[in-house]
Amino acid sequence: MGRVTKISGPVVEVAIESGEKPFLFEVVHVGNLKLMGEVVSIRKNKAIVQVYEKTEGLKIGEKAAFTGSMLSVTLAPGILGTILDGLGRVLSRSGERIERGMGVKFFPEGEFNFVPEVTVGRKVKKGQSIGFIDFKGFRYRILSPVGGTVTEVKRGKVSAEEPVARVEGNDVFIFEERAVRIPSRFGKRIEVNEPLFTGQRIIDFLFPVAKGGAASIPGGFGTGKTVLQQTIAKWCNADVIVYIGCGERGNEMTEILKEFPHLKDPYTGKPLMSRTVLIANTSDMPVSARESSIYLGITIAEYFKDMGYSVAVMADSTSRWAEAMREISGRMGELPIEEGFPASLSSKIASIYERAGAFETVDGKRGSVTIIGAVSPPGGDFSEPVTRHTKRFTGTFWALDRELASARFYPAINPFNSYSRYAEFVKDWWNQFGNYKNLRNWMIETLQEGEKLEKLAKLLGRESLPEEQKLKYEEFNLIREAFLRQNAFDPVDCYSSPQKQIYMAEILKTLSHWWRKVFEEKKLPVDKIVSHPIVSEVLRLKTEVGENEIEKLEELKEKIAQVYKNFS
Ligand code: ADP
Ligand code: MG
């Protein structure tokens, strides 16, 4: 027990009574309302507590109870499809606020059908699956918390109240509790080898993120971070999505809450919510819970990766979380290092992205946690601390560009400031669909040459470019318009399969090949070559050729050859 001696917004100082030994990150129930907080620093006989709920009305002298446990989440069948607040409490309806100190943590209710996969006498490892529960179309595996011999195991109807097995003297339940700040200890890290396929061409083709990789989306206000995060959440090929709305405007979150339950998973046809957990911590909720919301989301992700699933975590926006950290550390009197952020900013950002990875589970399956964080630098200035440190820990950087967004060129990813370190790791996966490496290299080279020409064209006008350069500039524009530009709200263009992406790239390369051939052999003006109606057909195919008619694209290649063979 302790007593509140000082209150500064969400930061509360508690005098520790003699005999009590609180530890770092221990959960504390503060005051008469039992507000949820965490010990963030211990100074002699004082504990500094970060309170996750509004502290209005809390008074000096009120009690604070140390709970002996760390902030944790209950993980169990049924967690998919839920909407949680930053502390893991269930929001019953869209974005509804929970009374302070009152929330109920997620807990599995009712009966489940348990199918054991081990028999009595079997030896299992810590983290090994002992059976599964199929619930709402999803197979949840029950992992043994300890290694040893199975001495009891149930089959059929079970509930959370009683154990489903006994291993080496320990009860195994269908749920587990995990402390959110501690990374999963199950499984071992392996190399990433597959993309998190998103159906977004500029991402998949040029700047892929691997399953198990970390990506950041930096971009100023209104450049399309949220739309991109949601588009990826809708279309990516992860088994599970954890979407964290962190400190962003409440109405954005409400939109997701309204939209997601009606969307269908393009891979299974089931409701998208059945593979999703939403964590809502909007800007009107206490800032301190932004931190817990991110750790909470990653912990949920790890639960599923330990079963052998691929999980994508979206955090929108990590800047709001960093700002909360800045506010808390300021109130704690910590010395700010850069732009008011504490020295721990870098290590905190690292502690999040480090939890991304591809893993081999104890059962020998492949699981992964991919983390995609939006960053909102003030004024779109990428040299500010949060963007800079995030860049160090993420292998993919999708730089959203104010100019592109104003021109309504979406996704507004600037190909010249963006990068991916995963392209090399995912090429074997891509090879099953076509010659990815070759096509990608061609695209990147063409874009790089085009960048220089665009500067010239802007300065002097396109007409002043010599014919040879004009041709290159046209190739560059072709790639941008026909391939990189993609409308998230168009029913056909919103998603391109790997096969369609390869076909499209091949068609562009074919077209550019013929342009060059005609230009060199017949010495015709570039404007004449590039204005044949077949070009508009190529520009339209992203919206006009659906996934069920991609064979048409093969014909188009033929048609292009016919047009330019006899071009005059
Ligand atoms: P941010 O989260 O960076 O502040 P948003 O994601 O909310 O920005 O995007 C702002 C607006 O830009 C959206 O409401 C939408 O009109 C437009 N937009 C963004 N991305 C796309 C896209 N991929 N396709 C079409 N429109 C987009
Ligand atoms: Mg946004």
Side-chain angles (χ1 to χ4, degrees), residues 200 217-231 248-249 252 255 316-317 320 374-376 400 402 405 408-412 486-490:
Q200 310 307 302
I217 314 179
F221 180 76
T223 51
K225 298 179 294 296
T226 301
V227 172
L228 192 57
Q229 291 262 35
Q230 294 182 8
T231 308
E248 291 296 276
R249 283 160 293 155
E252 270 181 9
E255 263 167 49
D316 187 12
S317 150
R320 302 282 101 82
V375 188
S376 351
L400 298 190
R402 158 79 44 219
R408 303 199 62 76
F409 188 107
Y410 294 116
Q486 188 168 0
N487 185 348
F489 303 113
D490 180 276

Side-chain angles (χ1 to χ4, degrees), residues 119-124 146-152 166-170:
T119 44
V120 168
R122 248 291 277 290
K123 268 205 163 18
V124 294
V146 292
T149 308
V150 179
T151 52
E152 263 173 63
R166 259 180 100 71
V167 177
E168 208 63 36
N170 294 273

Side-chain angles (χ1 to χ4, degrees), residues 234-236 238-239 263-275:
K234 270 182 221 168
W235 296 111
C236 80
D239 300 311
L263 293 172
K264 283 216 166 72
D265 181 341
Y267 298 92
T268 61
K270 288 187 276 197
L272 200 59
M273 264 316 278
S274 65
R275 67 160 183 173

